Amino acid sequence: MSASTSEIKRVTTHVIQAMKTRGEKIAMLTAYDFSMARMLDEAGIDILLVGDSASNVMAGHETTLPITLDQMIYHAQSVVRAVHRAMVVVDLPFGSYQANSEIALSSAIRIMKESGAHAVKLEGGSEVEESIKRILMAGIPVMGHLGLTPQSIYKFGTYTVRAKEEVEAQKLRDDAQLLQELGCFALVLEKIPANLAKIVSESLIIPTIGIGAGQHTDGQVLVTHDMLGITKEFKPRFLRRYLELFDAIGDATKQYINDVKNKDFPNESEQY
Ligand code: KIV
């Protein structure tokens, strides 16, 4: 009898693969710091992605391009320290793997060695084939990422849905097969038509994890700050908000300011 995912001590690539095989959906969220990672891990999340979206969410940049390998390692270290059960996957940031496979391998090794993470993720298909091969040869699990790949935003020009036209859809299907053949253990599909994501997910043995890719992928991922409503203006159709923390934190902060100004905080029981 196989253990259900809630009883599993540590989520590994094998556990993720077994979930696809038995039709159990995979839940992934982003995390960039210790406190958030601890809450998400305790709640039972399967995979925590230390995404390069930290560049937007944590550092306030407009794109994911500026974040550095050192900064990704810092975020990954904080997340790994918090986690007991979830698998931790770390994005290779822009510029850390595109130049050649040697640079890619050394970036991936730094992430694994210095943070203790369990896998890396990188964007692209055939363009980054050599880098993926080299990283996999070193025994480092790789998660692929196709569709909208935010590190190429200046090539795309917009964050709209990708692969609506047949030529791009065919390239995505070919890249998905290639990533599986190379040995990637899973694949993120970002912002593509649900029907294309269904075809790709059904054609692959490895799991797909969608964001804005519909209900037929083997798992789902959201940026935690979007899902919790910490970010305010970002409201794409695919995003479900489970909390409105921007407003809730604002209200609590106003209450605190009020209490301090009115000399209500601290009161007698809150002092020594
Ligand atoms: O960096 C990130 O948060 C991601 C997810 C959107 C998949 O790559």
Side-chain angles (χ1 to χ4, degrees):
M1 199 174 70
S2 68
S4 86
T5 15
S6 55
E7 294 162 357
I8 283 161
K9 287 208 177 69
R10 174 65 84 175
V11 179
T12 62
T13 55
H14 297 280
V15 171
I16 296 297
Q17 182 60 58
M19 287 168 78
K20 166 142 186 165
T21 308
R22 64 171 178 269
E24 181 181 342
K25 296 276 187 183
I26 300 156
M28 172 160 119
L29 282 169
T30 59
Y32 321 108
D33 66 46
F34 178 87
S35 309
M36 185 68 82
R38 209 171 145 220
M39 289 187 267
L40 303 178
D41 186 55
E42 282 210 23
I45 198 73
D46 297 314
I47 305 178
L48 282 178
L49 172 66
V50 183
D52 58 359
S53 50
S55 179
N56 312 98
V57 172
M58 302 304 283
H61 292 297
E62 229 172 84
T63 72
T64 57
L65 275 66
I67 199 160
T68 66
L69 185 57
D70 284 338
Q71 288 165 339
M72 288 302 296
I73 290 170
Y74 167 78
H75 287 299
Q77 287 168 337
S78 310
V79 169
V80 168
R81 266 180 231 123
V83 163
H84 295 293
R85 179 185 171 278
M87 179 179 195
V88 180
V89 180
V90 182
D91 264 337
L92 280 166
F94 177 67
S96 73
Y97 63 96
Q98 291 92 344
N100 61 52
S101 62
E102 215 171 300
I103 292 175
L105 177 59
S106 100
S107 303
I109 287 178
R110 277 202 62 202
I111 287 177
M112 300 298 281
K113 237 185 200 316
E114 295 177 37
S115 75
H118 312 121
V120 297
K121 173 166 88 56
L122 54 83
E123 297 181 5
S126 55
E127 313 78 15
V128 287
E129 180 174 351
E130 291 310 313
S131 294
I132 293 176
K133 270 191 200 155
R134 194 91 184 251
I135 296 170
L136 285 166
M137 267 175 356
I140 300 171
V142 175
M143 179 181 274
H145 184 155
L146 298 174
L148 176 65
T149 46
Q151 291 178 13
S152 306
I153 186 58
Y154 291 117
K155 181 174 128 195
F156 296 147
T158 72
Y159 285 102
T160 51
V161 181
R162 303 303 312 171
K164 278 161 89 176
E165 306 301 330
E166 181 47 29
V167 176
E168 199 182 335
Q170 184 58 52
K171 157 105 173 95
L172 191 142
R173 288 194 290 271
D174 293 345
D175 279 340
Q177 285 298 332
L178 174 68
L179 294 184
Q180 171 168 282
E181 275 159 31
L182 292 176
C184 289
F185 74 94
L187 185 55
V188 166
L189 296 175
E190 180 163 356
K191 235 174 167 190
I192 61 170
N195 200 38
L196 176 61
K198 180 173 190 279
I199 291 167
V200 172
S201 302
E202 286 172 358
S203 73
L204 295 180
I205 298 163
I206 59 168
T208 58
I209 301 183
I211 173 162
Q215 58 186 259
H216 300 290
T217 51
D218 303 300
Q220 297 292 331
V221 56
L222 285 175
V223 169
T224 298
H225 288 63
D226 298 334
M227 186 275 274
L228 296 178
I230 297 174
T231 50
K232 200 173 164 67
E233 282 82 28
F234 185 64
K235 284 185 181 164
R237 186 205 300 201
F238 69 78
L239 174 63
R240 185 178 294 180
R241 282 199 196 279
Y242 288 83
L243 284 173
E244 292 293 348
L245 279 188
F246 189 99
D247 294 336
I249 291 172
D251 289 346
T253 306
K254 281 181 202 154
Q255 185 65 53
Y256 168 74
I257 294 168
N258 208 42
D259 289 352
V260 171
K261 303 272 179 202
N262 292 325
K263 301 178 186 155
D264 178 67
F265 176 78
N267 62 25
E268 294 225 334
S269 69
E270 290 162 330
Q271 62 193 12
Y272 300 98

